[in-house]
Amino acid sequence: AQRVTQPEKLLSVFKGAPVELKCNYSYSGSPELFWYVQYSRQRLQLLLRHISRESIKGFTADLNKGETSFHLKKPFAQEEDSAMYYCALSGGSNYKLTFGKGTLLTVNP
Amino acid sequence: GAVVSQHPSWVICKSGTSVKIECRSLDFQATTMFWYRQFPKQSLMLMATSNEGSKATYEQGVEKDKFLINHASLTLSTLTVTSAHPEDSSFYICSAWGGSNYGYTFGSGTRLTVV
């Protein structure tokens, strides 16, 4: 079974502070991990995927298979980063995407 | 980039009526589409996986006779909520899998309110 855990429902930081959104997963095979972002009243958007190893909007995430984690990090948070962030996992041939419960990030001025 | 169009964006219907929601991939073909339900301040819950030309695969606890899914072409999947009740009121989101090139692309969602 696929499972994604985001332990923090809410996260509040000040502008310019580092931010880390935690994500742990459970999957028996080789998963593909994603981070999606949902800004207020907008559709879900892909932020990054582990296989591309890109840095989008200053965010990075490293897949740690030993700790089964895929934490999202940004060294200096901006107010426009305030949004809902979902970690997601895809595994198997059916391409089913399983989401974590999400973390609402608020960046205060 | 890949775009998925979902219509309508919101709909209000009376109890007992049926509502159809469309999900179209505009610039790519999607053999697989997914339908999610999102309650306020909660995550997306997968309802079913829709495969072009075959029956949808429903997640445990989702009534297949209530949530009818049709994936008649490589660019269109529809979700019909039959005999809607107020407890069906929710935000429904579709996603299309466009292969390794396009990945998953999400629709803008449909807010269904059953009165």
Side-chain angles (χ1 to χ4, degrees):
Chain A
Q2 307 176 185
R3 188 180 303 163
V4 178
T5 303
Q6 292 179 251
E8 302 140 329
K9 199 170 182 179
L10 303 169
L11 184 61
S12 183
V13 301
F14 285 103
K15 177 183 173 181
V19 63
E20 180 180 51
L21 290 82
K22 291 184 168 50
C23 172
N24 288 89
Y25 67 91
S26 174
Y27 183 65
S28 56
S30 292
E32 185 169 358
L33 276 298
F34 305 82
W35 275 99
Y36 285 88
V37 59
Q38 190 173 31
Y39 298 103
S40 180
R41 299 183 182 277
Q42 294 188 29
R43 73 179 70 195
L44 214 60
Q45 301 174 34
L46 177 66
L47 187 60
L48 50 81
R49 53 198 297 191
H50 90 268
I51 60 171
S52 64
R53 303 181 73 83
E54 291 178 320
S55 171
I56 306 295
K57 298 185 179 182
F59 285 97
T60 59
D62 290 316
L63 179 61
N64 185 322
K65 291 186 178 180
E67 296 182 358
T68 60
S69 69
F70 189 57
H71 303 326
L72 183 68
K73 300 177 184 178
K74 185 169 183 176
F76 307 104
Q78 303 299 314
E79 290 181 64
E80 54 265 29
D81 295 328
S82 296
M84 193 73 172
Y85 290 81
Y86 293 99
C87 182
L89 178 154
S90 173
S93 58
N94 62 4
Y95 305 112
K96 191 164 70 172
L97 200 58
T98 300
F99 286 86
K101 292 188 182 299
T103 299
L104 180 62
L105 173 66
T106 303
V107 181
N108 300 298
Chain B
V3 177
V4 168
S5 173
Q6 185 174 343
H7 291 283
S9 56
W10 61 270
V11 58
I12 302 173
C13 71
K14 292 184 177 180
S15 287
T17 61
S18 295
V19 173
K20 181 186 282 188
I21 303 170
E22 289 190 352
C23 181
R24 293 181 184 272
S25 56
L26 296 186
D27 47 7
F28 66 100
Q29 293 182 332
T31 55
T32 304
M33 290 187 176
F34 303 91
W35 288 95
Y36 296 86
R37 186 171 178 174
Q38 187 178 31
F39 290 103
K41 299 187 178 182
Q42 293 191 29
S43 186
L44 285 76
M45 298 298 296
L46 180 65
M47 298 174 65
T49 302
S50 167
N51 296 298
E52 186 267 337
S54 64
K55 290 184 179 180
T57 304
Y58 290 82
E59 294 299 300
Q60 192 173 12
V62 177
E63 298 176 61
K64 63 178 72 175
D65 294 331
K66 178 163 198 57
F67 299 100
L68 299 179
I69 290 172
N70 184 281
H71 194 156
S73 77
L74 288 172
T75 58
L76 174 64
S77 176
T78 60
L79 168 69
T80 301
V81 183
T82 63
S83 187
H85 288 104
E87 55 265 32
D88 298 325
S89 298
S90 191
F91 195 56
Y92 293 87
I93 302 172
C94 73
S95 170
W97 167 249
S100 57
N101 286 335
Y102 296 102
Y104 300 93
T105 304
F106 287 83
S108 55
T110 298
R111 172 77 57 197
L112 170 63
T113 303
V114 185
V115 296

